[in-house]
Amino acid sequence: MTFHHLGLATDLLRAVAEQGYSEPTPIQQQAIPAILQGQDILASAQTGTGKTAGFTLPLLQRLKTTPFQGHRAPRALILTPTRELAAQVSDSVKLYGKYLPLRSAAIYGGVGIVPQIQTLRRGVDILVATPGRLLDHLQQKTLDLSHVEILVLDECDRMLDMGFIHDIRKILAVLPSSRQTLMFSATFSKPIQQLAHTLLKSPTLIEVAPRNTAAEQVTQIMHPVDRDRKQELLAYMISFHNWRQVLVFTRTKHGANRLAEKLTKDGLKTAAIHGNKTQAARTRALNDFKQGKVRVLVATDVASRGLDIDHLPYVVNFDLPNVPEDYVHRIGRTGRAGNEGKAVSLVCRDEYPLLKSIERLLNRTIAETVISGYEPTASLQSDVEPPNRKQSQQPRSNRANSQTQAKPTRSKAKSGGRDRKRLHTA
Ligand code: AMP
């Protein structure tokens, strides 16, 4: 299967060829023809699957074939949860649409509104926006959305998690009801299904990864460790394994700053991105990380959402997320577009219930390896499971000491037995 088979125009094929993509990814194979036919879609696809090109290419083609008439107002609206994602999607629109006479713009908060007003005044065909700033423009009457033909809700689950549902509803209220709507979401929670039900007309369902499962090519591992030794263990692992580019997740902005400072003191070039940083600082940190000037990027869930960093090999959960779905999003930063990746979680005792809910969502256990010298002072499980469940039910000979990916082991998860491994690293 090649991009030619999907019915894309030569202007788009040329832009795709310049990116060096030899064949469409599974989501592109399914989404592109459906969108070209004008269907609504509900797609469950994580970041890294090529979903952006999956909706951008056919969207561009549809707009190209029906040129604007008279007043140039947005005919496609792409909503994203974060500024970073809006900027990235906007870059993709420009990249894939470079041979088309279409204009696009990104509209998000944290930057001046006046240049955006000027851009909108000059006329835009495709608008990529975060909900909050878009509403500001609507309230100031600097934006006319009455000509929108195609609406894309990207990373919809995250938009709902971030509390954007009311903003989204206000935006929907000013859009024409006869339009094509495309919904993308990494997970299919109840609220997503409800929203899909109200928004989509006979949608084509596209599911490229099984529901709520983490990317196949990501090796997942967890190290039990005391909370106050996590930072030391992380610095040790980065240096010992010589990780050149690692994305580290913390739960709080404060925690991200603190960790970044400590790692910097340890001699590791580190930057932090979170909601309290200015947009300029976030963009700079991300660029430095992409260019290899920064080795460790510490991020909170919100700030990291949708980051497109090619071939990211390591993701570390310094803290486990409170919401299990965030774990899926986080590890989706690695193992992208066919590359192998590794997701490492540092788990202290009080996070054990969070680990259990993540494993329930994934329907698998995450392989556990104790790092020699960093053994936790108390068993992770002693608070939450009876003592006779602490030990693995497997015979010792079955407990391999290599760091291989854990296979789904439903029964073991139920019995409380874990793949307990010991790693002698020094
Ligand atoms: P996305 O899931 O949209 O964030 O895309 C993830 C990454 O895959 C991006 O870096 C894209 O440039 C890349 N990509 C998209 N489509 C393809 C393709 N057909 N072949 C190879 N890489 C792709």
Side-chain angles (χ1 to χ4, degrees):
M1 163 80 77
T2 67
F3 279 98
H4 290 88
H5 294 116
L6 299 176
L8 290 171
T10 39
D11 295 342
L12 291 163
L13 291 173
R14 194 169 150 208
V16 165
E18 281 174 16
Q19 290 308 303
Y21 305 158
S22 49
E23 59 174 311
T25 64
I27 187 148
Q28 291 163 0
Q29 289 177 25
Q30 295 182 54
I32 292 173
I35 299 171
L36 285 178
Q37 283 169 22
Q39 292 168 21
D40 281 3
I41 65 164
L42 175 58
S44 158
Q46 293 156 19
T47 312
T49 52
K51 68 181 167 67
T52 314
F55 65 75
T56 304
L57 289 166
L59 177 151
L60 287 165
Q61 176 143 334
R62 283 182 66 76
L63 296 188
K64 163 193 142 83
T65 42
T66 55
F68 78 99
Q69 320 245 310
H71 171 60
R72 197 165 199 157
R75 290 186 293 139
L77 172 64
I78 304 170
L79 288 179
T80 72
T82 65
R83 301 159 183 181
E84 280 82 3
L85 187 59
Q88 274 173 203
V89 171
S90 171
D91 287 348
S92 295
V93 170
K94 288 195 184 347
L95 195 71
Y96 301 129
K98 67 196 271 197
Y99 298 114
L100 301 179
L102 295 170
R103 289 194 208 152
S104 65
I107 296 287
Y108 47 81
V111 295
I113 197 165
V114 175
Q116 296 178 350
I117 294 174
Q118 287 161 350
T119 305
L120 291 171
R121 238 183 242 144
R122 280 196 295 272
V124 165
D125 301 293
I126 301 148
L127 196 59
V128 188
T130 51
R133 179 54 67 92
L134 193 76
L135 273 183
D136 290 345
H137 282 282
L138 284 175
Q139 272 148 16
Q140 295 193 24
K141 304 207 182 327
T142 47
L143 174 63
D144 169 15
L145 291 180
S146 65
H147 297 271
V148 169
E149 298 161 26
I150 307 175
L151 169 70
V152 182
L153 298 168
D154 194 12
E155 310 217 342
C156 205
D157 46 349
R158 176 47 61 121
M159 285 202 272
L160 297 198
D161 289 349
M162 289 170 71
F164 282 140
I165 187 67
H166 300 297
D167 288 355
I168 291 174
R169 289 205 187 283
K170 282 184 202 157
I171 295 164
L172 289 171
V174 301
L175 297 180
S177 55
S178 63
R179 53 154 205 271
Q180 185 178 14
T181 306
L182 318 173
M183 261 178 83
F184 289 80
S185 182
T187 52
F188 265 155
S189 61
K190 261 266 153 58
I192 291 290
Q193 290 173 29
Q194 281 160 358
L195 186 65
H197 188 71
T198 57
L199 279 190
L200 306 176
K201 295 183 200 104
S202 328
T204 302
L205 294 177
I206 298 175
E207 224 176 335
V208 289
R211 226 172 260 192
N212 293 341
T213 53
E216 287 287 306
Q217 63 270 44
V218 180
T219 303
Q220 299 170 61
I221 193 163
M222 71 81 120
H223 302 307
V225 59
D226 287 340
R227 178 177 295 282
D228 58 1
R229 298 202 67 204
K230 280 189 178 188
Q231 181 257 321
E232 196 191 326
L233 173 58
L234 176 61
Y236 165 75
M237 290 179 76
I238 294 170
S239 303
F240 181 80
H241 297 291
N242 199 19
W243 290 344
R244 306 311 306 172
Q245 203 186 31
V246 53
L247 179 60
V248 179
F249 287 95
T250 60
R251 218 163 17 219
T252 65
K253 299 168 192 170
H254 186 58
N257 280 341
R258 213 172 31 211
L259 181 62
E261 274 167 32
K262 286 187 180 156
L263 291 176
T264 304
K265 278 198 190 125
D266 284 338
L268 297 165
K269 275 204 159 299
T270 306
I273 54 168
H274 52 68
N276 283 1
K277 297 256 177 188
T278 62
Q279 189 56 40
R282 285 154 76 164
T283 308
R284 193 170 51 241
L286 183 60
N287 286 342
D288 286 351
F289 184 61
K290 282 184 174 180
Q291 288 165 19
K293 290 187 207 156
V294 158
R295 189 170 173 184
V296 188
L297 186 64
V298 185
T300 55
D301 289 293
V302 167
S304 79
R305 189 69 186 141
L307 293 183
D308 179 15
I309 304 161
D310 280 342
H311 316 308
L312 188 57
Y314 304 104
V315 164
V316 172
N317 294 304
F318 188 81
D319 304 310
L320 285 185
N322 285 330
V323 182
E325 279 82 4
D326 280 347
Y327 177 88
V328 179
H329 294 307
R330 286 178 177 191
I331 75 164
R333 315 291 102 206
T334 181
R336 299 162 70 76
N339 298 295
E340 291 221 349
K342 186 166 180 175
V344 176
S345 299
L346 308 184
V347 182
C348 64
R349 187 182 165 142
D350 55 300
E351 289 176 308
Y352 192 69
L354 296 177
L355 177 71
K356 283 274 130 196
S357 21
I358 290 165
E359 289 183 334
R360 258 195 306 278
L361 175 72
L362 299 175
N363 200 13
R364 65 189 288 175
T365 52
I366 298 170
E368 176 181 328
T369 305
V370 179
I371 305 273
S372 197
Y374 292 90
E375 297 85 352
T377 45
S379 160
L380 287 183
Q381 300 171 46
S382 53
D383 277 354
V384 283
E385 292 187 75
N388 64 352
R389 287 184 167 190
K390 268 193 250 170
Q391 291 302 313
S392 166
Q393 303 301 307
Q394 284 182 294
R396 189 163 282 278
S397 59
N398 279 357
R399 294 182 222 154
N401 50 18
S402 64
Q403 291 188 44
T404 49
Q405 189 171 342
K407 293 271 183 292
T409 47
R410 192 91 189 101
S411 57
K412 244 193 287 163
K414 271 188 196 149
S415 74
R418 304 186 56 78
D419 281 340
R420 192 141 219 177
K421 296 170 198 161
R422 198 171 192 84
L423 183 66
H424 295 277
T425 46

